[in-house]
Amino acid sequence: GYIEIQLSISSEKLLKLSRANAVDENAPGGFNSDGEFRTPVGQIPLSRLEEIPVESFRGGHDDKDLINSLYSLQNPLSSPWGRPFIRLVSSHTYDKKTETAKIKFLVYFTRLIFELIADP
């Protein structure tokens, strides 16, 4: 599935959010400490939205709470197995006139989620 949020943000700040996300190639599981895999320039890692004030989210606290929930499912520290429960891939569009970014996150469940569902 996917979720879409809207941010009131300048184009300069959006560029900073969408810079490449490096991950150490020797990292266990191929993800960083936030549970994010390497991303190319243009994708916005979820952890970078943690720094955005709630006033910038067009959906206010609801969007910010959704981001926090997704972040906890993606963060390997929230899992007793040290692995993310979900993986997110983003795309976005930007309207210069209204200074609004629409960010779409595709949400993928990891194998761990399915194993937990199947385990009685």
Side-chain angles (χ1 to χ4, degrees):
Y2 74 92
I3 60 153
E4 188 173 277
I5 60 166
Q6 293 186 27
L7 290 176
S8 297
I9 191 168
S10 70
S11 59
E12 294 82 23
K13 287 184 182 178
L14 183 64
L15 275 174
K16 288 181 183 176
L17 289 177
S18 62
R19 68 188 187 280
N21 187 28
V23 174
D24 180 8
E25 291 182 16
N26 298 321
F31 50 85
N32 66 15
S33 60
D34 292 314
E36 296 164 338
F37 293 85
R38 180 187 337 249
T39 60
V41 172
Q43 286 192 15
I44 299 173
L46 190 67
S47 63
R48 295 199 183 133
L49 296 181
E50 289 283 303
E51 305 163 5
I52 304 293
V54 69
E55 298 80 30
S56 296
F57 288 89
R58 290 279 175 103
H61 288 283
D62 289 341
D63 280 356
K64 186 69 169 176
D65 290 345
L66 177 61
I67 294 300
N68 291 337
S69 297
L70 290 171
Y71 182 76
S72 68
L73 289 170
Q74 173 187 270
N75 192 315
L77 296 177
S78 64
S79 164
W81 299 275
R83 308 217 27 104
F85 288 110
I86 61 172
R87 179 174 184 200
L88 301 166
V89 177
S90 71
S91 65
H92 67 276
T93 58
Y94 186 71
D95 183 343
K96 289 182 183 180
K97 186 183 283 185
T98 61
E99 289 196 329
T100 301
K102 288 184 181 179
I103 305 170
K104 184 177 189 176
F105 286 99
L106 298 174
V107 182
Y108 296 94
F109 292 120
T110 63
R111 182 179 174 145
L112 180 58
I113 288 265
F114 295 109
E115 288 179 12
L116 290 173
I117 292 170
D119 188 20

